[in-house]
Amino acid sequence: MIPAPFDYLAPTTVEEALAALGQHGDDAKILAGGQSLLPVLRMRLNAPEVVIDLGKIHSLRGIRDDGDALVIGAMTQHSVVEHDPLVAEHATLISKAVEHLADHQIRHRGTFGGALAHADPAGDLGAPALALEAQFVIAGPAGTRTVAADDFFVDLFETAIGEDEILTEIRVPKHTGWGATYEKFVRVAHQWPIVAVAATVRVEGGTIAEARIGLTNMGSTPLRARAVEAALVGQPATEDAVRAAAAHAAEGTNPPSDLNGEAAYRAHLATVLVRRAVLSAAGTT
Amino acid sequence: MTRINLTVDGSKVSDDVEPRMLLVQYLREKLGKTGTVIGCDTSNCGACTVHLDGTSVKSCNVLAVQADGSEVTTIEGLAQDGELHQVQKSFRECHGLQCGFCTPGMIMQSVDLLKENPHPTEQEIRVGLEGNLCRCTGYHNIVKSVQHAAAQGGAQ
């Protein structure tokens, strides 16, 4: 399978890329690592006239420490994020999620920002980004703006990034010392999760002081399980307490029904995976 | 057409290609390197795995233009001076193949895996090869081949 013909641009700066986007507008598509876009183009689900490849913009790659936050360049490959010691220490939840994203070959090529901008509700990075309250830095013709994770995911494959804008970096507030687990339920290796749960908690003397939980594939966007978070605070990190809080996992969700499972099955799965993820993140299991 | 310059299996190549041309197509159709095969064509099976700047990628999921300026190693470039790479030797020794179609990708991914983790456990091998499918389901001997290669210092 071969994509429909397109013109190819490979700018070397964000400014050049924005200019190209401004010129071609609707007819253009941004190419990051291509691990989601190329299958789409090959299956002819989309046929842009122009593809703007960000691969040669070196300033979009890399991870840096910026005081209270880590800054992950949008074009940083998953495999780099996976092995980065800063991410492992300050945003453990992201390390845990990336480790299980797709497979080795795809992690070598796919990018952190590309996957988030693609906004597949079954993608593995949205839930951790929500749980860690990441900030999305978006460049456009009028300059840059920052969008909170809660406002970034708009709908199925739709984000707050405008048609003339590019996601340049993701700022992740440090969660140093927080326990973290990404529980992903799949039937076979290298598959999108049927449901997954990103949980990170701060435990003080056996009590859950703070909890943040993101849900993957429980609606048209990644979602926060706020009812569970509220129910966990002040509770002991025990099986019974966590089980009771996890019962709220599907509240406010709208899970899909497909060949892998009905919505009700996913709702049940969410409660089980939230319990496992929180217990593991709290170090109870 | 877009001009690309890259190094494939140690040789510098330069071509005008259509931007939509996939790297695997370029390798097979332009360079005649048919050792890299197309299995599923949907980036699932890993049969088309090659190394791009030293790490494994699925060449059906990379455009040839994205490889501009890069170094590509295919299964055909693995042997040095007529001597098979240790991972190739081990796949032969342990009969790590049945029909052989997934073999080029399995070997390229195994080489990458051993470079990252020279002494993997059986579980680490299975996880490391999760992006490669064997339609014959011959995984047992594939895992044994990687263990054999590791024991022989196959990371080199």
Side-chain angles (χ1 to χ4, degrees):
Chain A
M1 291 182 292
I2 301 162
F6 53 78
D7 288 333
Y8 174 80
L9 298 172
T12 55
T13 65
V14 173
E15 291 70 28
E16 280 175 32
L18 286 171
L21 204 50
Q23 191 186 338
H24 298 285
D26 277 0
D27 300 330
K29 192 82 192 154
I30 294 283
L31 171 65
Q35 299 306 285
S36 296
L37 181 62
L38 287 181
V40 166
L41 298 187
R42 284 188 331 216
M43 287 185 272
R44 311 260 177 137
L45 298 172
N46 197 336
E49 285 176 24
V50 179
V51 168
I52 303 170
D53 181 4
L54 305 184
K56 291 196 189 313
I57 307 180
H58 301 297
S59 64
L60 293 179
R61 293 186 198 272
I63 298 162
R64 67 174 199 273
D65 191 323
D66 191 29
D68 294 341
L70 294 183
V71 181
I72 304 178
M75 287 292 289
T76 310
Q77 292 100 329
H78 300 308
S79 55
V80 172
V81 176
E82 181 186 356
H83 298 295
D84 187 86
L86 285 174
V87 176
E89 185 180 355
H90 303 296
T92 316
L93 185 57
I94 288 175
S95 298
K96 298 279 175 102
V98 170
E99 188 184 327
H100 297 290
L101 187 153
D103 57 45
H104 283 255
Q105 291 97 316
I106 287 173
R107 292 201 293 276
H108 284 145
R109 229 19 237 170
T111 65
F112 193 73
L116 287 164
H118 183 55
D120 186 332
D124 288 307
L125 299 180
L130 274 181
L132 294 175
E133 298 180 336
Q135 302 267 316
F136 292 77
V137 181
I138 298 169
T144 61
R145 63 191 181 105
T146 302
V147 175
D150 278 340
D151 302 320
F152 182 75
F153 299 101
V154 175
D155 205 345
L156 202 67
F157 300 109
E158 192 184 335
T159 69
I161 306 170
E163 281 182 358
D164 54 355
E165 294 181 316
I166 293 171
L167 175 64
T168 56
E169 56 191 32
I170 298 92
R171 299 178 60 85
V172 184
K174 285 183 182 173
H175 285 65
T176 318
W178 289 51
T181 295
Y182 189 66
E183 273 287 336
K184 177 170 171 173
F185 192 81
V186 290
R187 281 191 306 114
V188 295
H190 172 234
Q191 204 186 30
W192 278 273
I194 296 171
V195 173
V197 172
T200 191
V201 298
R202 188 169 64 78
V203 179
E204 271 181 16
T207 298
I208 295 172
E210 289 181 273
R212 307 262 189 280
I213 294 160
L215 306 173
T216 304
N217 215 10
M218 285 295 288
S220 58
T221 65
L223 297 168
R224 276 279 285 274
R226 292 188 190 274
V228 180
E229 294 176 5
L232 282 171
V233 173
Q235 295 294 316
T238 61
E239 170 93 28
D240 285 347
V242 172
R243 181 185 295 272
H248 299 285
E251 285 179 20
T253 66
N254 183 22
S257 290
D258 58 27
L259 287 175
N260 283 317
E262 296 293 311
Y265 172 70
R266 283 192 162 87
H268 171 69
L269 207 47
T271 64
V272 175
L273 297 177
V274 164
R275 171 169 51 84
R276 288 182 192 165
V278 171
L279 286 171
S280 164
T284 306
T285 51
Chain B
M1 299 292 247
T2 300
R3 190 76 179 166
I4 56 169
N5 298 285
L6 61 163
T7 304
V8 180
D9 293 338
S11 303
K12 287 195 185 312
V13 290
S14 186
D15 270 301
D16 289 318
V17 298
E18 258 196 289
R20 63 170 169 165
M21 178 175 254
L22 304 172
L23 179 59
V24 69
Q25 263 184 295
Y26 177 70
L27 295 171
R28 290 174 59 83
E29 296 170 19
K30 279 269 192 180
L31 303 183
K33 290 193 172 282
T34 51
T36 301
V37 295
I38 300 171
C40 67
D41 210 10
T42 58
S43 75
N44 275 288
C45 81
C48 64
T49 299
V50 301
H51 295 173
L52 182 60
D53 290 330
T55 57
S56 58
V57 301
K58 294 178 174 181
S59 62
C60 78
N61 217 22
V62 178
L63 296 170
V65 289
Q66 289 179 286
D68 178 42
S70 295
E71 193 161 316
V72 177
T73 304
T74 77
I75 187 74
E76 297 186 33
L78 216 48
Q80 295 294 320
D81 303 323
E83 184 172 353
L84 292 181
H85 186 282
Q86 181 57 51
V87 176
Q88 291 174 302
K89 289 182 190 171
S90 294
F91 269 69
R92 187 171 67 178
E93 180 70 25
C94 301
H95 198 64
L97 63 150
Q98 290 181 29
C99 84
F101 200 83
C102 72
T103 312
M106 285 287 181
I107 290 178
M108 295 310 285
Q109 180 53 27
S110 299
V111 171
D112 188 275
L113 163 68
L114 290 174
K115 195 179 66 185
E116 214 170 87
N117 181 0
H119 301 289
T121 63
E122 180 188 336
Q123 181 62 19
E124 286 168 343
I125 294 170
R126 290 182 184 273
V127 170
L129 295 176
E130 72 177 327
N132 294 71
L133 304 180
C134 168
R135 254 311 180 224
C136 310
T137 70
Y139 296 104
H140 188 70
N141 279 3
I142 290 171
V143 172
K144 269 170 59 181
S145 302
V146 180
Q147 288 172 318
H148 183 271
Q152 303 292 321
Q156 277 73 48

